[in-house]
Amino acid sequence: MTIRAVVWDVDDTLFDYTSADREGMRAHLLAEGLFAAYGGVERALLRWREITDAQWARFSAGEVDFVTQRRDRTRVFLGRDLTDDEADAWFERYFAHYEAAWSLFPDVLPALDALAADYRHAVLSNSSLLVQEHKLRTLGLLDRFESVLCAADLGVSKPEAGAFHAACEALGLPPHEVAYVGDHPEIDGRGAAEAGLLSVWIDRGTALVRPAGQPVAHRISTLSELPALVRADTRFGAPSTFG
């Protein structure tokens, strides 16, 4: 099979979300005088991530919209019944600290440059278009991608096959001619594979889960491995490096 395009996840794939979230939360807790309440940044960050996962699950299930899940993350984290305006203001203060810590992983630009001449590129993220376009523009990457698709705008999120197929349709290519690169072994790795794409799991050590069941994606530890993988397209008959 010939791969003609690469579709990318953003957070913890291109963008060092984990580091930015940690540094942003550290600065925010300090500014808000909340260190004592949470016993330090690591415990606060773990709580924030647990709440984020739970609220995102509600959004993915269609129970709430994108803005509501973000407000509810703040309410649950603080343990207070905030108005919408209060929740928005708190999140915006956190976001300013978080954005100040944004950076790309060092292997991103070399990999994009190595693939630029031979492959088309797009983004598929379980976020909102407003958030991810701003992030990619700030990081100097937006012009690298033909399309940016996000769950909040599509109405379907990874690992549902419909999300991956929407990215393929945006490129006008069948799934078997598209590679998907993401950091989550199940949402990205298994989801893309089951949707028929060449699935590549970039294992940056940030995923809170490990692969479940039969390996279905190619595992790489740096994006420097990606050009050789997509050019070879060893999805059939070759052992997976997943796990």
Side-chain angles (χ1 to χ4, degrees):
M1 294 291 179
T2 299
I3 296 299
R4 303 187 186 280
V6 180
V7 178
W8 301 82
D9 176 51
V10 178
D11 295 347
D12 278 330
T13 298
L14 301 171
F15 159 63
D16 190 352
Y17 167 78
T18 294
S19 294
D21 200 30
R22 180 181 292 110
E23 292 309 309
M25 183 59 71
R26 184 190 307 276
H28 186 53
L29 291 177
L30 183 62
E32 299 282 313
L34 292 173
F35 264 123
Y38 292 94
V41 68
E42 294 302 328
R43 291 180 64 182
L45 189 57
L46 179 60
R47 177 65 175 147
W48 179 248
R49 288 178 178 169
E50 289 172 347
I51 292 166
T52 297
D53 288 346
Q55 295 301 323
W56 190 264
R58 294 177 64 217
F59 166 71
S60 296
E63 297 174 13
V64 295
D65 61 23
F66 183 81
V67 173
T68 298
Q69 66 82 28
R70 191 175 66 181
R71 289 169 175 161
D72 287 348
R73 285 162 62 189
T74 300
R75 292 179 175 117
V76 175
F77 183 73
L78 294 176
R80 301 206 301 266
D81 187 18
L82 304 175
T83 66
D84 288 350
D85 287 345
E86 289 170 336
D88 290 343
W90 192 94
F91 191 90
E92 286 168 8
R93 295 195 300 275
Y94 154 72
F95 192 87
H97 294 294
Y98 163 59
E99 186 173 13
W102 285 1
S103 65
L104 297 173
F105 288 103
D107 57 0
V108 170
L109 292 179
L112 287 171
D113 287 344
L115 295 166
D118 299 320
Y119 300 92
R120 298 164 62 194
H121 296 270
V123 160
L124 173 63
S125 169
N126 269 2
S127 183
S128 76
L129 191 60
L130 181 66
V131 169
Q132 297 298 46
E133 281 196 339
H134 171 66
K135 186 181 296 174
L136 292 168
R137 185 179 295 109
T138 300
L139 293 167
L141 292 185
L142 186 58
D143 290 344
R144 299 265 190 165
F145 305 106
E146 291 184 31
S147 301
V148 178
L149 292 88
C150 293
D153 308 277
L154 286 173
V156 60
S157 60
K158 301 176 296 181
E160 294 297 323
F164 296 99
H165 291 164
C168 296
E169 289 167 8
L171 291 164
L173 294 172
H176 65 264
E177 293 184 358
V178 178
Y180 188 81
V181 185
D183 71 289
H184 196 289
E186 294 298 315
I187 293 173
D188 296 317
R190 189 171 301 279
E194 292 182 350
L197 289 72
L198 173 66
S199 182
V200 183
W201 172 37
I202 172 68
D203 183 4
R204 297 201 183 275
T206 56
L208 300 180
V209 301
R210 302 304 294 175
Q214 181 66 28
V216 294
H218 294 277
R219 174 184 173 274
I220 59 177
S221 58
T222 171
L223 292 179
S224 64
E225 302 172 63
L226 183 62
L229 179 59
V230 297
R231 288 180 177 124
D233 188 3
T234 57
R235 84 180 83 192
F236 300 109
S240 172
T241 55
F242 194 17

